């Protein structure tokens, strides 16, 4: 007779199907045809439709409307007219609606779980236990934010109409991630679900009707990428939130360049899953299963690269293969199924193609014996070994149930391999050694690091990427902040694009006979001499009174790596006073100067690891030294701008105060420990420096503008490459000595003078610059945003008109610190 254990081991799973009658009845009640949801009502716009296909069976579930441009226009118009009253509604009123939506969704949880499973092909086990409960949690959490946001952030305001474009992998959840914070903050929404998965968004629109959400607050337009493009291009959209491929994210970045639209992009990933030899291997194996086979691997943060320490690699992979043999692939509505269908034939083809490429590049594929249904788009769980870290399958996002693995020897090598990707969305680290875990977590470039767990999410915790995984966060205060803007910026009109008073002197230093002003600054382009240029007759008509007590016959060099160096171009630019009289020259910086400065800034990266206390001390020291040279700087500013001595003194005083402010902030801009719905987790939200920030300064208030941007950036541990205001560059170049005498390590602040737009472009194009802040001439805004699409770096381009650099809310404060940092969330479970 068989013992129970034998029976358990040999017993076949029986089917455990979830009923789909309610969903079919709902589809029938709509005649299996859906319009779009605009201004609180259903519309039947054009007659172009496309099928909603169940990927598990290839059955057509319904016909969906392909929206036209005119429909998107209508939706945006409806959202714009709903915005004034929705944004002005008291927070508790908005909270009630979000709360009601949460309740409605919760009450219909099983219906949504079945509908999502049928529309997407993912297992009911996951929609029932993850997608829908998490969407509900998101709505509740943000109902709370709606309640308190006005009191918590009185200086911030909603941005306006938000365009939201979501993918097919978590259709309802991505909708909740986007709609909930937007509404909580007081914005109105036009959302486009992915073509493959519109049904839960349409069912959600019915909930909006049911709870009486005011017309136009949420609008849902269905259709393909072109509908997305109409949203992206619409001039009345104030902000775009996109989740999807890096390729389309890059297109959107380029398309919106110069438009002033705010942007958050949550893009692809190739996340490392690192197992050290002291890890709890049973847990780690289950972690891998969750990391890569959850949702068929169609997860942007899937742990798709397994890195195992060499000493346990063989044993670990053996156990993993055994576990893979037990994974069940099949009908997603069967409650005993682990892996459902991938989204469609195109995606299946992509997975097949990449797997074949993996084999042709020399990796070994392993798949367990695994029966697949005859119909539908299924792919078995797959493990690749003998993978080179540079192989296509180790670098490309496969977005399917395919795991690639390789081994490492030391923690340093693990970090190096983990960061060997253009992405930076998430990572998972497995070890019983908390010191090692936190050390590695800090070194990995990713927005989320899970320690001894994976794929944990919560509405209270921000989620989003570093590098080409995009920018911005979704969830918690980090995500809510993306839907708010400083209140003073609202309604400000763009400043007129004024001509720069700068005069270019392209041939200036080539021939001293032609340009006597050049003096000893002749010829040699790329030298890095340190001699002082002196004894020049400027040749300019300076009048009988010298306008400025400082020597005027000196061409200020660049400041790179803590040294004064000549510009590579060998050219200089004249700086004139408001009457057009020459008062000095600065070097004309070019691509090479920026490249050298970026290299120097990277070499100074240890600045970010120095204690915040130390950085504060350096900032105090700069302030003291600037204060000691108050008269000299005031005179310089007066000469450059003609603002008058007392205004100039006011500016220097404000710059000194600003340095004190950021010295104060350096050790006070803390992160959070989030309270998640998961118990026994400490989730640390740590503001990290972004890295190397390129800064193009404004023309107004040349010293205060410069200090207001550089001080918060370096206070937070970044290193900077700064392009000072072109016409007033001498105010910045005078700072070299102040920096030299204030213990600022070489390379922390690098100054390259020249054309703000041209140098802004070079900074934006540079792959080793992590963010660009552009406050220069309006014509440069589009240039910088478009050029930044190369490595999808974050940009902060100032579209606010009439910024008052003296006003604390406008010229300093948390917005600056927020732009100077990115949040890494580290999930740390605890308990035995
Ligand atoms: P896309 O990035 O194309 O789609 C995401 C969303 O953007 C969809 O709603 C899509 O509409 C829309 N869209 C497509 N083109 C444009 C455009 N030019 N302007 C505005 N919106 C647009 O992803 P795919 O669905 O095509 O998937 C392709 C690959 O992207 C996958 O194989 C996977 O590797 C990756 N991916 C990554 C995701 C992530 O979360 N990181 C999510 C989804 C995919 P529609 O689908 O209706 O055409």
């Amino acid at each position: 007779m068989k013992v129970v254990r034998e029976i358990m081991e040999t017993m076949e799973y029986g089917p455990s199907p979830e009923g789909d009658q309610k969903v079919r009845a709902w589809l029938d009640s709509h005649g299996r045809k859906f319009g779009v949801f605009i201004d609180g009502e259903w519309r039947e716009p054009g007659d172009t439709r496309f099928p909603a296909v169940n990927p598990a069976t290839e059955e057509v579930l319904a016909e969906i409307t392909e929206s036209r441009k005119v429909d998107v226009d209508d939706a945006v118009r409806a959202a714009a007219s709903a915005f004034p009253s929705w944004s002005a509604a008291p927070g508790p009123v908005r909270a009630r609606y979000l709360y009601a939506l949460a309740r409605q969704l919760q009450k219909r949880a099983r219906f949504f779980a079945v509908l999502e499973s049928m529309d997407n092909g993912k297992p009911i086990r996951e929609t029932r236990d993850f997608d829908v409960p998490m969407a509900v949690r998101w709505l509740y959490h943000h109902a709370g934010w709606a309640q308190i946001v006005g009191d918590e952030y009185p200086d911030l305001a909603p941005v306006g109409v938000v365009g939201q474009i979501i993918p097919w992998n978590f259709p309802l959840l991505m909708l909740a991630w986007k709609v909930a914070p937007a509404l909580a903050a007081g914005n109105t929404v036009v959302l486009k679900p992915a073509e493959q998965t519109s049904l839960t968004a349409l069912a959600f629109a019915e909930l909006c009707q049911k709870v009486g959400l005011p017309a136009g607050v949420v609008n849902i337009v269905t259709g393909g990428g072109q509908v997305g493009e109409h949203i992206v291009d619409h001039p009345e959209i104030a902000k775009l939130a996109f989740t999807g491929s890096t390729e389309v994210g890059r297109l959107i970045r380029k398309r919106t360049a110069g438009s002033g639209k705010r942007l958050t992009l949550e893009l692809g990933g190739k996340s490392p899953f690192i197992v050290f030899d002291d890890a709890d291997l049973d847990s780690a194996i289950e972690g891998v299963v969750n990391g890569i086979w959850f949702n068929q691997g169609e997860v942007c943060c899937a742990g798709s690269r397994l890195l195992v320490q060499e000493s346990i690699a063989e044993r670990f992979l053996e156990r993993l293969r055994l576990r893979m043999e037990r994974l069940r692939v099949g009908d997603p509505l069967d409650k005993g199924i682990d892996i459902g269908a991938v989204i469609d034939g195109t995606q299946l083809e992509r997975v097949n193609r990449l797997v074949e490429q993996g084999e042709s590049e020399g990796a070994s594929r392993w798949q367990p014996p695994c029966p697949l249904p005859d119909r539908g788009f299924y792919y078995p769980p797959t493990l690749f070994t003998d993978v080179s870290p540079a192989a296509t399958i180790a670098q490309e996002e496969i977005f399917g149930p395919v795991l690639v693995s390789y081994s490492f020897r030391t923690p340093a090598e693990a970090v190096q391999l983990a960061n060997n990707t253009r992405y930076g969305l998430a990572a998972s680290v497995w070890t019983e050694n908390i010191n090692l875990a936190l050390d590695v977590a800090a070194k990995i470039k990713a927005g989320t690091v899970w320690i001894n767990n994976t794929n944990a999410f919560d509405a209270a915790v921000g989620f989003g990427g570093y590098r080409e995984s995009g920018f911005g966060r979704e969830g918690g205060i980090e995500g809510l902040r993306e839907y708010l803007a400083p209140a003073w910026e609202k309604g400000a009109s763009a400043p007129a694009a004024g001509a720069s008073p700068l005069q270019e002197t392209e041939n200036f230093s080539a021939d001293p006979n032609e340009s006597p002003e050049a003096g000893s600054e002749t010829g040699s382009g790329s030298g890095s001499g340190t001699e002082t240029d002196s004894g020049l007759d400027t040749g300019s008509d300076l009048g009988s009174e010298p306008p400025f007590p400082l020597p005027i016959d000196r061409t200020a060099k660049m400041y790179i790596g803590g040294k004064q160096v000549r510009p590579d171009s060998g050219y200089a630019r004249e700086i004139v006073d408001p009457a057009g009289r020459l008062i000095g020259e600065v070097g004309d910086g070019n691509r090479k100067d920026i490249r050298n400065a970026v290299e120097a800034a990277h070499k100074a990266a240890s600045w970010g690891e120095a204690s915040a206390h130390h950085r504060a001390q350096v900032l105090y020291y700069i302030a003291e030294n600037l204060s000691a040279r108050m008269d000299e700087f005031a005179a310089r500013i007066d000469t450059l701008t003609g603002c008058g001595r007392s205004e100039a003194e006011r500016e220097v005083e404000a710059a000194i105060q600003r340095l004190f402010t950021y010295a104060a902030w350096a050790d006070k801009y803390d992160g959070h420990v989030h309270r998640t719905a998961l118990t026994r987790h400490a989730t640390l939200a740590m503001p990290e420096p972004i890295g190397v920030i390129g800064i193009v300064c404004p023309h107004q208030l040349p010293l205060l503008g410069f200090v207001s941007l550089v001080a918060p950036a370096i206070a937070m541990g970044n290193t900077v490459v700064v392009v000072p205001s072109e016409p007033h560059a001498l105010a910045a170049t005078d700072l070299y000595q102040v920096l030299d005498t204030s213990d600022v390590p070489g390379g922390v602040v690098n100054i390259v003078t020249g054309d703000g737009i041209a140098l802004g472009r070079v900074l934006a194009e540079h792959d080793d610059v992590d963010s660009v802040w552009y406050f220069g001439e309006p014509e440069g805004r589009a240039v910088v945003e478009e050029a930044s699409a190369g490595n999808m770096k974050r940009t902060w381009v100032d579209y606010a008109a009439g910024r008052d650099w003296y006003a604390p809310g406008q010229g300093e404060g948390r917005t600056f610190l927020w732009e100077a940092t990115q949040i890494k969330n580290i999930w740390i479970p605890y308990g035995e």
Side-chain angles (χ1 to χ4, degrees):
M1 201 175 81
K2 280 186 176 175
V3 295
V4 172
R5 208 177 106 237
E6 283 168 344
I7 294 171
M8 294 300 283
E9 278 173 0
T10 54
M11 199 165 57
E12 276 301 299
Y13 281 89
S16 175
E18 176 72 36
D20 60 4
Q21 303 82 350
K22 291 224 158 92
V23 166
R24 290 186 180 281
W26 177 77
L27 293 169
D28 290 340
S29 73
H30 285 274
R32 302 235 169 194
K33 281 199 171 83
F34 289 86
V36 291
F37 185 67
I38 296 175
D39 207 12
E41 58 184 31
W42 291 97
R43 299 202 184 160
E44 298 286 336
D47 14 274
T48 312
R49 292 179 191 275
F50 59 91
V53 176
N54 181 341
T57 59
E58 299 177 52
E59 174 196 5
V60 173
L61 297 171
E63 296 288 322
I64 311 289
T65 292
E66 177 73 30
S67 305
R68 302 155 305 174
K69 180 171 180 307
V70 54
D71 305 319
V72 173
D73 291 345
D74 277 357
V76 175
R77 200 172 304 119
S81 61
F83 177 71
S85 52
W86 179 252
S87 56
V93 171
R94 294 200 304 272
R96 285 280 190 89
Y97 284 108
L98 282 164
Y99 182 78
L101 284 167
R103 297 290 283 178
Q104 285 295 327
L105 185 56
Q106 198 169 28
K107 281 193 266 184
R108 287 163 180 71
R110 192 54 73 98
F111 166 83
F112 273 90
V114 175
L115 179 61
E116 191 76 306
S117 176
M118 290 170 73
D119 200 23
N120 169 281
K122 59 171 78 190
I124 182 74
R125 201 164 55 81
E126 291 177 7
T127 56
R128 181 196 63 198
D129 299 345
F130 178 75
D131 295 62
V132 178
M134 191 59 78
V136 170
R137 158 94 178 124
W138 226 269
L139 289 162
Y140 276 130
H141 179 80
H142 286 89
W145 273 123
Q147 184 86 16
I148 62 174
V149 66
D151 291 334
E152 272 298 288
Y153 300 98
D155 298 334
L156 299 177
V159 296
V161 178
V162 177
Q164 305 186 319
I165 300 170
I166 58 175
W168 40 257
N169 53 346
F170 294 94
L172 178 70
L173 186 57
M174 287 302 106
L175 175 146
W177 277 32
K178 294 215 164 19
V179 169
L183 265 48
N187 304 281
T188 55
V189 161
V190 175
L191 177 134
K192 187 194 92 65
E195 199 174 350
Q196 296 90 334
T197 53
S198 308
L199 289 173
T200 44
L202 295 168
F204 181 82
E206 288 190 344
L207 296 190
C208 295
Q209 277 186 310
K210 195 165 175 56
V211 304
L213 192 71
V217 171
V218 169
N219 304 275
I220 293 178
V221 285
T222 48
Q226 217 182 345
V227 181
E229 286 179 15
H230 295 323
I231 294 177
V232 169
D233 292 343
H234 200 292
E236 278 188 65
I237 296 270
K239 178 204 156 72
L240 285 159
F242 171 82
T243 299
S245 60
T246 295
E247 190 193 354
V248 175
R250 185 171 281 122
L251 278 179
I252 292 177
R253 168 68 291 180
K254 286 187 180 162
R255 250 184 134 94
T256 54
S259 67
K261 292 185 174 102
R262 288 164 190 276
L263 198 55
T264 42
L265 299 174
E266 202 268 90
L267 309 174
K270 193 76 188 175
S271 300
F273 188 106
I274 308 169
V275 186
F276 287 98
D277 58 6
D278 66 344
D280 171 348
L281 296 193
D282 289 333
S283 303
I285 295 278
E286 289 314 305
V288 174
V289 170
N290 182 14
I292 185 64
W293 291 302
F294 169 62
N295 205 43
Q296 297 74 243
E298 295 168 328
V299 184
C300 49
C301 54
S304 52
R305 283 188 297 145
L306 173 63
L307 278 62
V308 191
Q309 197 151 20
E310 199 175 72
S311 49
I312 57 159
E314 213 169 299
R315 192 155 42 105
F316 190 81
L317 291 174
E318 204 37 58
R319 281 164 84 160
L320 182 60
R321 287 190 191 97
L322 279 176
R323 179 67 179 87
M324 286 172 72
E325 283 172 359
R326 305 206 158 228
L327 291 171
R328 301 183 72 230
V329 184
D331 177 8
L333 284 185
D334 184 334
K335 295 179 200 110
I337 283 297
D338 298 301
I339 300 177
V342 301
I343 190 70
D344 59 16
T346 312
Q347 187 63 18
L348 189 60
E349 230 176 84
R350 177 187 158 88
V351 175
N352 267 314
R353 180 171 46 78
L354 282 161
V355 165
E356 279 166 22
Q357 191 163 350
E359 283 189 299
S360 71
E361 288 178 13
S364 310
R365 169 168 63 140
W366 185 84
Q367 288 163 334
C370 175
L372 301 180
D374 298 334
R375 280 183 76 78
F377 309 111
Y378 292 92
Y379 199 84
T382 302
L383 170 68
F384 270 106
T385 50
D386 306 320
V387 181
S388 145
T392 308
I393 51 168
Q395 293 294 329
E396 286 288 308
E397 185 177 43
I398 299 176
F399 229 62
V402 181
L403 177 65
V404 302
S405 69
Y406 34 94
S407 61
F408 65 88
R409 286 191 180 165
T410 61
E413 195 191 353
V415 169
Q416 192 257 326
L417 287 170
N419 286 335
N420 179 19
T421 167
R422 62 196 171 109
Y423 297 114
L425 197 52
S428 187
V429 180
W430 294 74
T431 168
E432 293 298 293
N433 177 345
I434 186 74
N435 295 330
L436 176 63
L438 289 175
D439 188 46
V440 170
K443 288 174 178 159
I444 287 180
K445 294 186 188 343
T448 296
V449 181
W450 293 292
I451 293 176
N452 292 334
N453 68 132
T454 191
N455 276 343
F457 306 92
D458 190 67
V461 181
F463 179 83
Y466 284 24
R467 300 165 155 186
E468 292 191 34
S469 291
F471 43 79
R473 297 287 180 269
E474 295 190 301
I477 179 54
E478 297 128 60
L480 188 75
R481 182 65 182 74
E482 307 281 359
Y483 287 94
L484 293 162
W488 70 268
E489 285 184 20
K490 299 285 294 176
S493 57
S500 162
L502 191 75
Q503 293 177 2
E504 286 199 27
T505 56
E506 295 254 301
N507 298 315
F508 177 62
S509 61
D511 182 346
N513 296 321
E514 280 175 30
S515 309
E517 301 92 329
S520 61
E521 194 66 14
T522 56
S524 74
S526 53
S528 58
T530 52
E531 82 272 27
T532 308
D533 310 317
S534 58
L536 301 181
D537 172 3
T538 66
S540 300
D541 174 15
L542 297 178
S544 52
E545 285 279 310
F548 184 61
L550 290 175
I552 58 170
D553 50 1
R554 179 170 181 269
T555 298
K557 301 189 180 78
M558 312 285 165
Y559 187 68
I560 296 177
K563 293 199 177 74
Q564 296 190 36
V565 297
R566 292 176 190 279
D568 169 78
S569 68
Y571 291 116
R573 292 176 161 241
E574 290 185 350
I575 302 290
V576 296
D577 71 8
R581 293 172 300 193
L582 180 72
I583 51 173
E585 292 94 30
V586 296
D588 193 8
N590 67 14
R591 184 174 292 272
K592 269 198 187 168
D593 300 309
I594 293 283
R595 211 170 58 200
N596 294 339
V598 172
E599 202 180 318
H602 272 286
K603 281 192 186 141
S606 59
W607 174 250
E609 289 150 26
S611 76
H613 172 77
H614 173 73
R615 289 198 295 268
Q617 294 302 307
V618 172
L619 282 158
Y620 282 130
Y621 204 6
I622 304 174
E624 278 172 25
N625 285 323
L626 184 56
S627 176
R629 298 173 65 174
M630 170 89 168
D631 285 348
E632 185 188 315
F633 274 88
R636 176 66 100 186
I637 290 168
D638 183 17
T639 311
L640 283 168
T641 65
C643 63
R645 187 61 181 239
S646 65
E647 262 308 299
E649 281 175 8
R650 180 177 174 230
E651 181 176 344
V652 182
E653 184 52 43
I656 294 165
Q657 283 309 320
R658 199 131 290 168
L659 287 159
F660 272 101
T661 300
Y662 287 112
W665 268 116
D667 61 356
K668 294 175 192 64
Y669 189 66
D670 291 331
H672 291 93
V673 179
H674 288 308
R675 290 172 190 271
T676 66
L678 297 173
T679 53
R680 304 207 296 177
H681 259 84
T683 303
L684 310 181
M686 317 226 311
E688 292 193 337
I690 294 176
V692 174
I693 301 183
I695 298 177
V696 179
C697 295
H699 290 336
Q700 314 98 294
L701 302 168
L703 180 67
L704 184 59
F706 181 101
V707 168
S708 299
L709 295 168
V710 170
I714 65 172
M716 293 297 103
N718 300 284
T719 57
V720 293
V721 177
V722 196
V723 181
S725 155
E726 293 166 68
H728 311 124
L730 292 172
T733 59
D734 288 347
L735 276 171
Y736 298 170
Q737 284 164 353
V738 173
L739 298 172
D740 282 343
T741 52
S742 305
D743 289 350
V744 180
V748 170
V749 177
N750 304 278
I751 300 174
V752 177
T753 51
D755 178 336
I757 298 178
L759 297 179
R761 180 204 292 274
V762 176
L763 283 167
E765 281 171 349
H766 200 304
D767 276 352
D768 285 334
V769 173
D770 302 296
S771 176
V772 175
W773 296 0
Y774 182 81
F775 283 70
E777 309 254 356
E779 293 86 345
R781 295 168 179 164
V783 173
V784 164
E785 287 182 337
E786 191 168 350
S788 72
N791 70 349
M792 298 303 292
K793 62 173 64 69
R794 189 167 149 184
T795 56
W796 182 22
V797 174
D798 190 34
Y799 283 91
R803 182 183 294 272
D804 177 358
W805 287 99
Y806 286 109
Q810 300 184 28
E812 71 177 31
R814 281 185 173 272
T815 300
F816 290 75
L817 298 165
W818 185 67
E819 291 288 353
T821 50
Q822 55 191 346
I823 303 288
K824 176 185 279 176
N825 275 288
I826 304 180
W827 292 68
I828 310 170
Y830 57 86
E832 284 295 322

